[in-house]
Amino acid sequence: MAAQGRFNAQQMKVYTTESSTDTLIAHVDSCEINFSAETIDITTKDSAGWKEVIHGLKSGTASISGKTDFSSANQIGALTTAFTAGTLLIFKFKTANVGDATYAWSGYITSLPLSFGNNEAATFSCDVEFTGAVTVATLAS
C-alpha cells in the first residue's frame, strides 16, 4: 500500500522503542514534534546595514499528552520511572500505514505534569528534549 498523503491525525501514534520493539504509549490524545535551529550572526560592516546569519545548531522537542491510566504497562508508570532515573528513551511517532513517514529520536523527559481536576479525567503531559538527530524514515511492511 502506498503512503496515504493527507490523513486524520488520530492515526499518528507514539511509541517507545527498546531492543527494536515498538511499544505504544497508551491513551495519548495529542502529540507534537518541534524542530528548531539557532542562527550564528555573521554581520560585518560589509552587510550594508542588514543582519546576516548562517544556520547553527539544530534541536528538537516533543510534547505528548493523554488520559492517565495507572494500570497500563507503558504509560504514566513507565514514563515516571524513566523521568526519575534520567533514562534516555527512544521515541517514535508513526501511523500504521506502509509508506508513511516515521519520526524517531532519542530523548530525555524534561517535564511530566499530572493533572487531577475535580470531576475530570486524570491527564498527563510529557515534554521530551531530543539528543542527537531525528531519524525520518518510511514505514516498511
Side-chain angles (χ1 to χ4, degrees):
M1 175 172 29
Q4 64 180 327
R6 296 181 208 172
F7 64 98
N8 183 332
Q10 183 175 350
Q11 296 174 32
M12 185 63 72
K13 306 290 183 178
V14 184
Y15 301 80
T16 56
T17 302
E18 187 174 340
S19 301
S20 299
T21 301
D22 296 340
T23 304
L24 181 69
I25 298 177
H27 307 296
V28 169
D29 57 24
S30 181
C31 55
E32 178 179 288
I33 302 172
N34 296 296
F35 300 107
S36 62
E38 296 176 13
T39 57
I40 300 168
D41 188 338
I42 60 166
T43 307
T44 68
K45 291 180 181 183
D46 297 324
S47 299
W50 289 92
K51 181 177 182 177
E52 295 180 316
V53 299
I54 58 174
H55 208 258
L57 291 175
K58 295 177 282 296
S59 63
T61 60
S63 297
I64 304 161
S65 63
K67 305 300 186 273
T68 301
D69 183 352
F70 290 122
S71 68
S72 177
N74 196 44
Q75 210 233 25
I76 199 61
L79 296 174
T80 302
T81 298
F83 173 76
T84 303
T87 304
L88 180 65
L89 296 174
I90 298 171
F91 289 88
K92 190 177 285 183
F93 281 34
K94 66 179 184 175
T95 70
N97 300 301
V98 173
D100 281 358
T102 65
Y103 300 87
W105 69 91
S106 296
Y108 291 98
I109 297 173
T110 58
S111 176
L112 189 63
L114 307 178
S115 179
F116 308 104
N118 184 35
N119 202 30
E120 297 175 2
T123 61
F124 75 96
S125 60
C126 178
D127 293 325
V128 179
E129 186 169 345
F130 300 176
T131 181
V134 67
T135 300
V136 181
T138 301
L139 185 64
S141 57

